[in-house]
Amino acid sequence: MSATRIATVELGRTGEQVSSVALGAMQMGNATDEASSVRILDRYRELGGSFVDTADCYEWWSRRGSRGGESEELLGRWMRDRGNRDEIFLATKGSALPAYSPDLWQADGAPDWELARRTFAGAGGDTLRHALDGSLQRLGTDHVDLYYVHVDDRTTPLEETLEALAGLVAAGKVRYLGWSNVRTWRLERIRQLCDRYDWPAPVAVQQQHTYLRRRAGLEHASIVDDEQWDYLTEHRDLGLVAYSPILKGVYDDAARRAEHWMMASYTGPDSEARLAALAEVSAEVGATPNQTVLAWHLHQTAPTVVPLIGPRTPEQFENLVPALGVKLDAGQLARLDAAGA
């Protein structure tokens, strides 16, 4: 293993250099308390990281009555206290905050995700303009560097969404645009409309992507599939920001893997074969499987992948740091990529 510093990569074909590992702040201010959040953020900066990701809806589901925004507020306080806003490549998202209803929380306090998905705010022009203004106020800044449509909205005409986003860029409130949880055919349609009307096109797509491949037959708009990977390989002006790159850390723990809900999208013979290859390579490089998977992401060049990590504790963050120094040779990468049923 070599020195553990976070490198930079180009975001799409923008010329913008961003951290090769992005830090997700979803749980900051809720599951991760303020002191622990600040420790993680400071340590990330110490290692050279600057790409921080949040959303206006984080984390409404954590407590009854919440309207989200806790993560953005915490980041705003941290940037103000550190005086480092100009050093941060700041990403946030809009469109996925559900309409308020007491029914969003069940009797035991658990969120009702079915109701939430039916009542997402969506990507209407006025909705996004108001959402961004709220995000900017909570973040304590006059602009964000990257603004995503969080959940693709098929009920709003794309022209309305894209024209509104173009206005936000023109107003200086947003530097770059992105899309998340989106099908490949929709990405292509978005890009064609941007080309036709000379609107700024997305430069990043944030999708769920990890070493395991989704199980055969699974329909899932948020997980990168073969078609989307091929599309991103051919269209290098779109960078892939990969969320859940280590699937909540399940690679290190077979018992946790067996019971974790995220594995429902991956379990099967293909995953078993890839886990076996991962175990072999991890042993060879002296790293944990979680660390090796993160290193595998960092070795991707066609397309370039920026893994988005979301440690809940400072200890979880430190457990991932050695991945920055893991070197996988061509043979090991080929074995990892070729593994499968």
Side-chain angles (χ1 to χ4, degrees):
M1 296 188 188
S2 59
T4 52
R5 291 284 296 175
I6 297 172
T8 61
V9 295
E10 185 180 4
L11 180 66
R13 288 291 180 262
T14 62
E16 185 84 37
Q17 291 290 314
V18 299
S19 302
S20 60
V21 176
L23 180 62
M26 182 176 76
Q27 299 184 93
M28 294 184 179
N30 288 292
T32 307
D33 64 29
E34 184 125 0
S36 296
S37 298
V38 168
R39 280 180 61 193
I40 294 169
L41 288 160
D42 285 346
R43 178 69 169 131
Y44 176 67
R45 288 292 296 129
E46 180 184 319
L47 293 169
S50 60
F51 188 172
V52 180
D53 179 277
T54 186
D56 65 344
C57 65
Y58 294 159
E59 280 190 309
W60 70 263
W61 55 89
S62 65
R63 59 180 175 82
R64 187 182 299 277
S66 170
R67 295 307 290 144
E70 295 95 340
S71 170
E72 290 181 326
E73 290 171 350
L74 186 148
L75 290 175
R77 290 190 293 274
W78 174 70
M79 290 186 294
R80 183 186 65 244
D81 291 346
R82 297 293 183 265
N84 65 1
R85 170 63 188 96
D86 291 343
E87 302 168 4
I88 302 300
F89 188 86
L90 183 61
T92 194
K93 316 177 194 74
S95 78
L97 182 65
Y100 178 76
S101 166
D103 296 331
L104 280 173
W105 297 269
Q106 302 171 45
D108 62 357
D112 185 336
W113 283 106
E114 183 180 350
L115 175 60
R117 292 185 181 97
R118 291 202 310 270
T119 61
F120 280 156
D126 284 340
T127 300
L128 289 176
R129 284 186 283 267
H130 289 305
L132 177 63
D133 283 344
S135 290
L136 294 177
Q137 183 175 15
R138 287 185 292 273
L139 290 163
T141 186
D142 61 357
H143 75 282
V144 293
D145 299 288
L146 178 59
Y147 192 61
Y148 292 98
V149 173
H150 199 164
V151 177
D152 190 34
D153 174 12
R154 298 197 196 181
T155 65
T156 300
L158 277 172
E159 291 86 348
E160 177 183 342
T161 300
L162 291 166
E163 187 172 24
L165 292 171
L168 297 176
V169 174
K173 295 180 177 182
V174 173
R175 294 180 62 213
Y176 300 109
L177 298 171
W179 230 269
S180 187
N181 302 298
V182 61
R183 297 280 189 180
T184 307
W185 69 267
R186 289 277 290 179
L187 278 176
E188 177 61 17
R189 189 170 178 189
I190 289 163
R191 289 159 57 86
Q192 288 179 2
L193 287 169
C194 289
D195 184 61
R196 181 186 307 169
Y197 294 106
D198 197 28
W199 289 327
V203 302
V205 57
Q206 188 176 132
Q207 297 284 91
Q208 186 170 313
H209 183 59
T210 187
Y211 174 62
L212 296 184
R213 296 183 288 215
R214 65 191 186 121
R215 61 177 171 79
L218 178 70
E219 289 291 326
H220 204 303
S222 301
I223 298 177
V224 175
D225 58 13
D226 290 347
E227 181 183 23
Q228 193 159 86
W229 185 258
D230 182 63
Y231 186 86
L232 293 170
T233 300
E234 291 296 320
H235 298 87
R236 302 295 183 83
D237 54 330
L238 263 177
L240 174 60
V241 179
Y243 72 81
S244 297
I246 58 170
L247 295 179
K248 309 294 186 184
V250 301
Y251 288 101
D252 282 358
D253 188 337
R256 178 174 167 80
R257 233 176 9 251
E259 64 184 19
H260 202 286
W261 61 268
M262 288 198 79
M263 285 301 297
S265 298
Y266 300 94
T267 302
D270 186 73
S271 290
E272 292 168 10
R274 286 174 84 78
L275 287 167
L278 176 64
E280 292 178 2
V281 172
S282 297
E284 291 169 10
V285 298
T288 68
N290 281 337
Q291 292 165 357
T292 304
V293 169
L294 190 55
W296 173 81
H297 281 286
L298 294 171
H299 281 72
Q300 304 303 310
T301 58
T304 297
V305 177
V306 176
L308 173 62
I309 61 170
R312 185 174 52 82
T313 66
E315 292 74 23
Q316 288 179 354
F317 181 84
E318 292 299 336
N319 286 340
L320 292 177
V321 170
L324 301 173
V326 171
K327 298 302 179 186
L328 301 171
D329 64 31
Q332 290 164 333
L333 288 167
R335 283 159 52 203
L336 287 170
D337 292 340

